[in-house]
Amino acid sequence: MENTLRARKIKDGTVIDHLNANTAFPVLKLLGLLGETQNVLTVLINVESQKLGRKDLIKIEGRELNPREADLISIISPNATINVIRNFSVVEKKRVGLPNVLKGVKCPNPTCITNTNEPASAEFTVIKNKDTLFRCKYCNRQFDITTIRKVILEKQFL
Ligand SMILES: [Zn+2]
């Protein structure tokens, strides 16, 4: 039974592989697929992985991701790979990568001008070091990836 489920091939859709263990639910939440989806989903949590030790994997039937969703997934789980499936074949396989600029995510600084009524939308420069930092273009404050991840999971988009 277990093997049958794991081997199930999808006709059209997306396979998100190499998710860090226990990030499948946050990613499903981010994609709006928790609790209100019509799509057929296969979710594996904490399966063995040569690369990661343990990993999660999500198969979503009948849906492809847009570049924005891939950027946000890269912040939740930087090792993830996204496979696009059409007519049972993998037509595109890509590793997610942190974007250079992150737009449309609320600045965690409550006094930032983007959190007032000014018509400025949030924008961060992504500084990719060992510890990735996100620097707000408006208040110039820097935030670590954990803080930005929290904002994304709370869906505080601007
Ligand atoms: Zn700011």
Side-chain angles (χ1 to χ4, degrees):
M1 184 63 182
E2 190 185 14
N3 285 333
T4 314
L5 277 174
R6 286 193 194 185
R8 181 189 163 109
K9 283 199 167 188
I10 64 177
K11 181 170 182 283
D12 297 294
T14 305
V15 177
I16 311 171
D17 198 359
H18 303 109
L19 287 164
N20 290 343
N22 289 300
T23 60
F25 281 106
V27 167
L28 288 170
K29 184 181 176 197
L30 174 70
L31 297 175
L33 294 171
L34 273 189
E36 52 198 78
T37 180
Q38 305 295 317
N39 301 79
V40 176
L41 302 176
T42 306
V43 180
L44 299 178
I45 293 183
N46 273 324
V47 291
E48 282 176 31
S49 157
Q50 287 188 334
K51 240 198 277 183
L52 301 172
R54 295 275 167 181
K55 70 171 183 182
D56 290 0
L57 182 148
I58 302 170
K59 295 183 186 181
I60 309 163
E61 299 190 29
R63 168 142 170 208
E64 294 184 10
L65 305 184
N66 62 41
R68 163 85 174 159
E69 291 169 326
D71 283 351
L72 295 178
I73 289 171
S74 78
I75 294 165
I76 307 296
S77 186
N79 297 308
T81 52
I82 295 176
N83 301 311
V84 180
I85 316 288
R86 290 183 198 144
N87 201 19
F88 296 106
S89 300
V90 178
V91 294
E92 197 185 339
K93 184 178 185 130
K94 62 181 173 213
R95 191 165 169 190
V96 297
L98 288 169
N100 296 316
V101 173
L102 176 66
K103 291 182 183 177
V105 172
K106 204 169 151 75
C107 181
N109 169 14
T111 62
C112 180
I113 192 169
T114 62
N115 288 324
T116 66
N117 290 325
E118 296 295 320
S121 79
E123 186 173 326
F124 300 87
T125 302
V126 184
I127 305 158
K128 301 173 195 176
N129 284 326
K130 189 165 65 67
D131 299 306
T132 302
L133 291 173
F134 296 77
R135 186 172 60 227
C136 176
K137 186 178 149 188
Y138 292 93
C139 66
N140 233 17
R141 284 214 202 161
Q142 298 189 149
F143 304 94
D144 64 16
I145 197 165
T146 311
T147 304
I148 297 297
R149 204 172 271 158
K150 204 169 154 245
V151 175
I152 289 171
L153 291 175
E154 288 167 359
K155 295 215 172 186
Q156 297 188 15
F157 299 135
L158 276 181

